[in-house]
Amino acid sequence: MRNIFILPIAATLVAFNQPSPTMDTFKWPGGIQAPVAEKEAKVFVAHGDQRIDNYYWLNQRENPKVLSYLNAENAYLDTVMSGTKELREKLFQEMKSRIKEKDESLPYKDNGYWYYTRYEEGKQYPVFCRKKESLEAPEEILLDQNIMAEGFKYYSIGGRAVSDNNELLAFTVDSVSRRLYGLQVKNLVTGAIYPETIPNVEGNYIVWAADNKTIFYVKKDVTTLLGYQVWRHELGTDPAKDVMVFEEKDNRFYIGVYRTKSKKYISIFSNMNQVSTEFRLLEAAQPTGLFKIFEPRKENFQYSIEHFDDRFYVLTDWDAPNFRLMQTPEAKTGKKNWKEVIAHRKDVYISNMLVFKNHLVLGEVKDALNQLRVIDQTSKEDYYISFPETVFAAFQHINPDYNTNLLRFSYTSMTTPGSIYDFNMDTRERVLKKQTEVLGGFKQEDYAAERLWATVRDGVKVPISLVYKKGMKKDGSNPLLLYAYGSYGASMSPGFNSNIISLLDRGFIYAIAHVRGGQELGRHWYDQGHMFNKKNTFYDFIDCGEFLIKEQYTSKEHLYAQGGSAGGLLMGAIVNMRPDLWNGVIADVPFVDVITTMSDPSIPLTTGEYKEWGNPAVKEEYSYMKSYSPYDNVEKKAYPNMLVTTGLHDSQVQYFEPAKWVAKLRELKTDNNKLLFKINMDAGHGGASGRFDYLKDKAWQYAFLLALEGKLE
């Protein structure tokens, strides 16, 4: 999905006691010729409308001419940014120095073992470990990714699943960054990895049956990269003899398989994002049985399920746009048997549920803030967990244990590093178990966060979360980086990100515009920001920028914008609509060629997104998409300074979309502003796989912004 977004979640800091940056302290090198892509006209005709794409040829990934052009863009970037080399290294070392290199995750207990991940000093990848019963027990190393990744430019371990008898580990690996994983099994008793490898599977959907020998997994189409079949594999047998147990016939749906928290059922789900869902169930003790449909799919009808005791809880939008909670007997799962537990509310969106033996926990969103609601399974009494800050994010953490009264949740804010608590749901006592250590002298008390509400052009109030250093003066001189995503109903939480300290300590305000297209204010917030309402996302972002200027947090000369993936589409739209408003824009792996991509069902993930953007085969949907598609609306005019990024192996937004966009911008733009294109030739949508390597990409971005501000210290 293009909703695998690049998210620089909120951060912390801004140094405002420094003098306003002077714009002439950094001199960009001159006289450098930017690469010029050849033009080879390709004509597209739909609904009587003709589009000419002069750069369509760039979609030939293996073509030496294409690779030569991409390498030329990287060389141009290196030359233009050569004066920032020392700054980039300084930024990289700063960001790396804030990370505790020798660290480990908070252990969680599952089926008699404590599981955790640790990092060794100076190493890029995690080591996955466990201890039996006690944290004082000897450590067992499940997988050491540092050893496994040797010799690879990219290496990612996806899902990991341990069998019920604790003796076998199923895991997936991607060594290309196309999210085509290989499934393998390791014997945790002997340490041997079984010889069979199952290629081209979904990374995170692997499930053991209760017999300790049967694995269910999702097979992917190698062209579209869609998971479309669920297969059953018996350990020790030839994968060629595996049995397909489900095939999704509608390529608009994404699928997955998982084990219920109660361990009783294996469930297959089919999901058309924000439109329709369907679940199938099989008892884990009967792996060769048939999956049965929980409730048949229907258009504009969503539900999710959790097994509890002799019944299922059902979270559904049936007559409830913001969702309501229902329950139904285990043996009677049809909708006619559902009974309401928690009613629908117009101002509260129920995002998820978590079931324990004695408690039920709901994740709720109100006024763009995540909240946790605890319900006693017996008395039905409920309460909300309280938090001290006005701008924050709180989520359920890892809670595999069904028979416990302890809820583990995470808490963060734009000034509070990620914190994990154990919360006693009976006594309401909370214990801080771990807070991410931020090295390098960070002091939380030096910074402040705010929640603002910008009234946009149609009268709607859009929330903005921002963070700055105490003492900030609202005089319009502050550089400000405004981030947003605004698609797929994904809500952007105001959390902590230590990387942004490097910008904020140099005078930047960091802000998140919670634009329509997410669900920060409920389902209607999403409905007003997709399909025929998509332009609201762009207008909201522009109007938030105008608001921040009006309130003198910044000015046009110091206002910057950033978004990635579908948020990169947002960047492409706003530079076409209001190029004068931004001094600089960073578009990460941007989805910018909407019509061409959505017209080609062979391109990965296209068909599953018809309900997000539209289907170009429908004339009205085609026309609306064309009216905002960034690539189709590039014009002869001045554009702001821009840095565009991509990965050659990107499976979510193919590299050729930003490549074509940059080529067309170079052809038509009338300004002398910087247009830079950075291509990671070894990675995909999420960038480098190493723990620290991705910071080098981040250093490029920050150096770009700081150079535009004339600051190289």
Side-chain angles (χ1 to χ4, degrees):
M1 287 179 278
R2 290 168 197 95
N3 56 346
I4 309 295
F5 43 85
I6 307 300
L7 174 61
I9 327 179
T12 311
L13 318 303
V14 194
F16 287 97
N17 296 327
Q18 303 172 12
S20 177
T22 56
M23 302 299 287
D24 60 353
T25 54
F26 174 68
K27 299 295 184 183
W28 296 88
I32 305 167
Q33 180 64 44
V36 177
E38 295 181 14
K39 295 169 67 173
E40 298 178 10
K42 183 175 179 62
V43 179
F44 293 95
V45 178
H47 310 293
D49 179 63
Q50 178 176 287
R51 293 184 306 123
I52 298 176
D53 187 345
N54 289 318
Y55 303 105
Y56 186 79
W57 65 274
L58 285 170
N59 73 346
Q60 304 170 72
R61 189 188 314 272
E62 307 299 329
N63 187 333
K65 187 168 71 170
V66 172
L67 295 175
S68 177
Y69 169 73
L70 297 179
N71 285 322
E73 285 285 3
N74 275 337
Y76 176 70
L77 170 79
D78 287 341
T79 304
V80 174
M81 293 282 287
S82 59
T84 69
K85 185 176 181 180
E86 291 184 6
L87 174 61
R88 294 198 310 269
E89 179 61 24
K90 183 177 182 180
L91 288 165
F92 170 73
Q93 294 298 339
E94 276 182 19
M95 290 184 283
K96 183 180 178 184
S97 71
R98 295 190 194 102
I99 299 172
K100 185 179 180 182
E101 293 196 28
K102 186 177 181 181
D103 198 7
E104 67 179 48
S105 66
L106 183 63
Y108 65 89
K109 197 171 186 181
D110 186 17
N111 197 24
Y113 280 82
W114 289 94
Y115 289 88
Y116 59 98
T117 301
R118 61 176 174 82
Y119 292 89
E120 298 177 355
E121 190 167 355
K123 294 189 177 180
Q124 290 269 25
Y125 295 105
V127 182
F128 301 101
C129 310
R130 71 177 183 178
K131 294 181 179 181
K132 187 173 183 178
E133 294 297 346
S134 169
L135 290 174
E136 305 305 316
E139 178 181 83
E140 298 179 34
I141 294 179
L142 307 180
L143 299 170
D144 186 337
Q145 191 171 334
N146 297 288
I147 295 173
M148 299 167 71
E150 290 178 1
F152 293 93
K153 293 181 179 179
Y154 179 94
Y155 197 88
S156 174
I157 292 177
R160 304 176 308 282
V162 177
S163 59
D164 288 14
N165 64 4
N166 291 313
E167 295 181 359
L168 301 165
L169 172 70
F171 65 97
T172 59
V173 169
D174 174 15
S175 58
V176 178
S177 190
R178 286 285 286 172
R179 290 195 169 100
L180 285 170
Y181 288 82
L183 170 62
Q184 296 177 272
V185 175
K186 180 178 180 179
N187 188 309
L188 298 178
V189 177
T190 66
I193 293 179
Y194 286 76
E196 65 257 36
T197 297
I198 302 173
N200 304 324
V201 306
E202 285 277 11
N204 291 317
Y205 297 125
I206 44 176
V207 174
W208 287 97
D211 64 355
N212 302 302
K213 65 179 182 180
T214 304
I215 302 173
F216 293 88
Y217 62 91
V218 176
K219 184 175 289 187
K220 298 185 78 168
D221 184 296
V222 296
T223 301
T224 67
L225 302 185
L226 279 173
Y228 71 112
Q229 296 171 338
V230 178
W231 287 70
R232 185 180 72 232
H233 173 73
E234 185 173 324
L235 193 62
T237 65
D238 184 350
K241 297 180 180 179
D242 287 357
V243 177
M244 184 176 70
V245 298
F246 171 71
E247 181 172 20
E248 179 53 69
K249 300 292 188 180
D250 189 336
N251 61 9
R252 298 175 301 167
F253 282 78
Y254 300 103
I255 68 170
V257 61
Y258 69 97
R259 187 97 170 257
T260 61
K261 188 175 178 180
S262 68
K263 302 293 186 182
K264 185 174 181 179
Y265 292 98
I266 295 168
S267 178
I268 296 172
F269 70 85
S270 296
N271 172 44
M272 190 195 307
N273 186 56
Q274 305 296 339
V275 177
S276 178
T277 50
E278 184 178 66
F279 287 79
R280 288 169 164 79
L281 293 174
L282 173 69
E283 288 200 24
Q286 305 293 330
T288 59
L290 297 177
F291 282 84
K292 296 181 180 179
I293 294 177
F294 188 91
E295 169 64 21
R297 69 184 68 178
K298 297 179 182 65
E299 194 90 350
N300 300 314
F301 167 59
Q302 300 179 84
Y303 68 93
S304 60
I305 59 175
E306 280 289 351
H307 179 243
F308 169 71
D309 200 11
D310 60 352
R311 59 189 181 273
F312 283 93
Y313 281 114
V314 184
L315 195 58
T316 180
D317 66 352
W318 175 31
D319 293 335
N322 278 344
F323 285 78
R324 57 176 168 158
L325 184 67
M326 317 283 280
Q327 67 180 30
T328 190
E330 187 176 25
K332 297 179 180 180
T333 63
K335 190 168 67 170
K336 64 182 180 180
N337 302 300
W338 297 3
K339 303 297 181 184
E340 187 172 86
V341 178
I342 301 291
H344 173 263
R345 288 156 292 168
K346 291 184 178 180
D347 61 339
V348 178
Y349 169 67
I350 305 177
S351 59
N352 56 69
M353 60 178 163
L354 184 62
V355 176
F356 297 91
K357 182 179 180 180
N358 297 316
H359 301 86
L360 175 66
V361 180
L362 299 180
E364 299 184 349
V365 183
K366 183 179 182 181
D367 294 335
L369 295 175
N370 301 90
Q371 303 180 93
L372 297 175
R373 183 181 185 182
V374 180
I375 303 169
D376 188 287
Q377 294 275 30
T378 303
S379 69
K380 306 304 178 186
E381 293 181 358
D382 70 325
Y383 60 88
Y384 288 89
I385 299 176
S386 62
F387 299 106
E389 298 178 273
T390 57
V391 183
F392 65 88
F395 302 97
Q396 299 100 326
H397 198 58
I398 301 173
N399 290 274
D401 192 354
Y402 177 74
N403 298 296
T404 182
N405 66 343
L406 290 179
L407 166 70
R408 180 163 287 181
F409 69 82
S410 62
Y411 175 85
T412 183
S413 76
M414 299 183 86
T415 59
T416 304
S419 308
I420 302 173
Y421 289 85
D422 276 354
F423 179 82
N424 188 309
M425 292 180 281
D426 293 322
T427 67
R428 306 191 190 186
E429 178 188 8
R430 73 185 76 190
V431 177
L432 177 62
K433 302 295 290 186
K434 182 179 176 64
Q435 184 175 78
T436 301
E437 291 187 53
V438 182
L439 307 180
F442 163 67
K443 294 181 180 180
Q444 179 178 350
E445 60 271 19
D446 290 344
Y447 305 94
E450 273 191 67
R451 167 60 55 81
L452 307 175
W453 294 84
T455 302
V456 298
R457 63 193 66 189
D458 61 356
V460 171
K461 292 184 180 296
V462 176
I464 304 173
S465 302
L466 70 161
V467 65
Y468 50 80
K469 194 166 188 177
K470 292 176 181 177
M472 180 268 292
K473 295 180 180 179
K474 291 167 55 175
D475 59 5
S477 67
N478 307 304
L480 187 149
L481 177 60
L482 183 62
Y483 169 83
Y485 185 69
S487 291
Y488 302 104
S491 299
M492 299 295 100
S493 300
F496 185 87
N497 181 356
S498 67
N499 294 333
I500 295 178
I501 296 172
S502 288
L503 275 185
L504 305 175
D505 273 347
R506 290 171 170 84
F508 272 76
I509 300 173
Y510 180 73
I512 303 173
H514 302 280
V515 295
R516 281 173 283 187
Q519 289 187 113
E520 288 92 336
L521 296 180
R523 171 71 190 206
H524 79 285
W525 207 242
Y526 170 64
D527 288 336
Q528 292 179 21
H530 77 116
M531 289 295 287
F532 291 109
N533 293 319
K534 189 62 210 171
K535 289 182 183 178
N536 282 335
T537 304
F538 316 140
Y539 297 148
D540 285 356
F541 191 83
I542 290 169
D543 293 350
C544 284
E546 294 274 21
F547 171 82
L548 291 166
I549 292 172
K550 180 182 176 182
E551 295 298 313
Q552 293 194 290
Y553 284 91
T554 189
S555 61
K556 285 185 180 181
E557 294 76 22
H558 299 288
L559 180 58
Y560 301 90
Q562 182 174 17
S565 197
L569 163 65
L570 170 59
M571 296 299 101
I574 59 114
V575 297
N576 282 334
M577 293 176 174
R578 283 298 306 278
D580 63 302
L581 191 58
W582 326 96
N583 189 43
V585 173
I586 298 175
D588 292 312
V589 292
F591 170 45
V592 286
D593 190 12
V594 183
I595 295 290
T596 307
T597 292
M598 294 306 297
S599 297
D600 186 352
S602 71
I603 290 179
L605 312 176
T606 288
T607 55
E609 302 189 0
Y610 286 152
K611 292 296 184 178
E612 179 70 24
W613 314 106
N615 184 347
V618 179
K619 183 177 180 180
E620 293 77 13
E621 296 175 14
Y622 170 91
S623 298
Y624 188 77
M625 283 187 282
K626 187 183 177 186
S627 72
Y628 68 75
S629 174
Y631 184 62
D632 292 291
N633 287 280
V634 175
E635 299 173 323
K636 278 193 174 183
K637 61 185 178 186
Y639 282 87
N641 297 289
M642 296 174 64
L643 172 63
V644 182
T645 73
T646 192
L648 182 63
H649 302 291
D650 197 327
S651 59
Q652 269 56 54
V653 178
Q654 303 289 298
Y655 76 92
F656 46 79
E657 288 198 45
K660 295 195 306 177
W661 184 45
V662 168
K664 191 172 183 179
L665 282 166
R666 289 208 192 285
E667 175 193 355
L668 295 178
K669 76 188 193 81
T670 59
D671 57 87
N672 293 317
N673 289 328
K674 303 295 177 288
L675 175 57
L676 305 176
F677 188 26
K678 187 177 188 304
I679 308 102
N680 189 324
M681 303 298 284
D682 300 315
H685 199 62
S689 60
R691 187 185 185 196
F692 304 118
D693 282 348
Y694 86 98
L695 294 176
K696 296 176 181 177
D697 292 334
K698 193 62 63 179
W700 277 92
Q701 297 177 14
Y702 292 176
F704 172 72
L705 297 175
L706 290 166
L708 292 175
E709 281 293 304
K711 302 185 67 161
L712 288 185
E713 71 274 17

